[in-house]
Amino acid sequence: MGPVGKQSPSSLPVPAGGSCLILFFCLRLGASCPQSCQCPEHAGAVAVHCSARGLQEIPKDIPANAVLLKLDANQLSHIPDGAFQHLHQLRELDLSQNIIETIGPAAFSGLAGGLRLLDLSRNRIRRIPKDALGKLSAKIRLSHNPLHCECALQEALWELKLDPESVDAIACHTAAQEEFVGKPLIQALDSGVSFCSTHHKTTDVAMLVTMFGWFAMVITYVVYYVRQNQEDARRHLEYLK
């Protein structure tokens, strides 16, 4: 038998398990950042920049170790429940300059403890979703939204930690009382105005009007009944005479 020739490195068999590990590693690298976004990393923390990417939905493959997520200047109109529930390390979330109108009651579940800043400014939010924002300890920016100033909004704001740098820019786009349309909401509340007391007062007036109507009907019936009896008694006396 002749000497066995040496096999070239290119012809050496590669274990199937090794190729699978290499492929898995490559796929993980490819999925470490949403497409068209940038994800710079520093000391194990990731900042995800997806600003002005024309996004209509929140990316599904945001890294779990993200501490900053910028989704501003996109076309997001709705924030669904559980959109950020795997981002337990997130500290700042920027959703400003979108077209957000609705927010799911559990949209920010999983962020209650760690989130420090939530920017919802310059959207199309009319009513504050108290169930979604009430449990957050983060500073919240709500300026430049077409808010409807009413009792529900006032009660929601009592439970939120508004960002002091932008709170003066929260204005009433529409209001239960027309005199507050276009005016800063905080200025109106600081002056002692309460949309809730106005709501209760309106309800009380309506109740009083209803009660007065029933009372007037009862009085009218009693007067009619007495007069009718008097007439019958007079006729009866005349008959006896």
Side-chain angles (χ1 to χ4, degrees):
M1 295 178 62
V4 180
K6 296 183 179 180
Q7 292 180 333
S8 63
S10 60
S11 63
L12 291 174
V14 179
S19 62
C20 291
L21 288 175
I22 294 173
L23 178 60
F24 175 76
F25 181 73
C26 293
L27 289 175
R28 289 295 296 171
L29 286 179
S32 61
C33 187
Q35 186 177 5
S36 77
C37 300
Q38 297 179 350
C39 302
E41 183 176 350
H42 178 70
V46 177
V48 182
H49 296 272
C50 301
S51 304
R53 304 294 180 178
L55 300 176
Q56 297 182 359
E57 296 181 352
I58 298 172
K60 304 294 185 183
D61 50 353
I62 300 171
N65 58 341
V67 295
L68 168 66
L69 176 56
K70 293 185 66 65
L71 292 167
D72 53 302
N74 282 289
Q75 297 296 314
L76 303 176
S77 60
H78 172 67
I79 308 299
D81 290 338
F84 313 102
Q85 60 184 356
H86 67 293
L87 304 178
H88 302 297
Q89 301 181 36
L90 197 63
R91 296 294 179 267
E92 183 175 337
L93 176 57
D94 189 353
L95 293 167
S96 63
Q97 301 183 64
N98 278 278
I99 54 175
I100 299 172
E101 295 182 359
T102 57
I103 298 175
F108 304 109
S109 60
L111 303 180
L115 196 65
R116 296 291 176 265
L117 178 63
L118 172 60
D119 195 343
L120 290 168
S121 61
R122 299 184 184 279
N123 278 284
R124 299 180 181 178
I125 302 172
R126 283 182 50 80
R127 289 177 170 82
I128 301 300
K130 185 170 61 174
D131 294 338
L133 303 179
K135 298 179 181 179
L136 296 177
S137 58
K139 294 180 180 178
I140 301 176
R141 294 175 180 170
L142 291 169
S143 58
H144 301 96
N145 276 286
L147 295 173
H148 177 64
C149 294
E150 57 180 349
C151 182
L153 175 63
Q154 183 175 342
E155 291 179 343
L157 293 180
W158 286 340
E159 301 183 15
L160 304 185
K161 185 179 179 182
L162 298 177
D163 177 34
E165 296 181 2
S166 62
V167 69
D168 292 335
I170 301 176
C172 298
H173 183 74
T174 57
Q177 297 170 268
E178 293 184 1
E179 60 267 28
F180 295 106
V181 174
K183 295 184 178 180
L185 174 60
I186 301 302
Q187 179 180 336
L189 296 178
D190 287 344
S191 66
V193 173
S194 175
F195 295 101
C196 293
S197 63
T198 302
H199 172 73
H200 295 322
K201 184 183 297 183
T202 303
T203 303
D204 293 342
V205 170
M207 185 178 295
L208 287 174
V209 170
T210 303
M211 292 178 63
F212 178 79
W214 280 105
F215 183 74
M217 289 176 61
V218 172
I219 294 298
T220 302
Y221 177 77
V222 171
V223 171
Y224 171 79
Y225 180 79
V226 171
R227 287 182 177 177
Q228 188 67 29
N229 286 345
Q230 288 178 347
E231 184 66 21
D232 291 342
R234 185 180 62 81
R235 290 176 181 176
H236 183 67
L237 290 176
E238 291 180 354
Y239 173 76
L240 291 178
K241 291 180 180 179

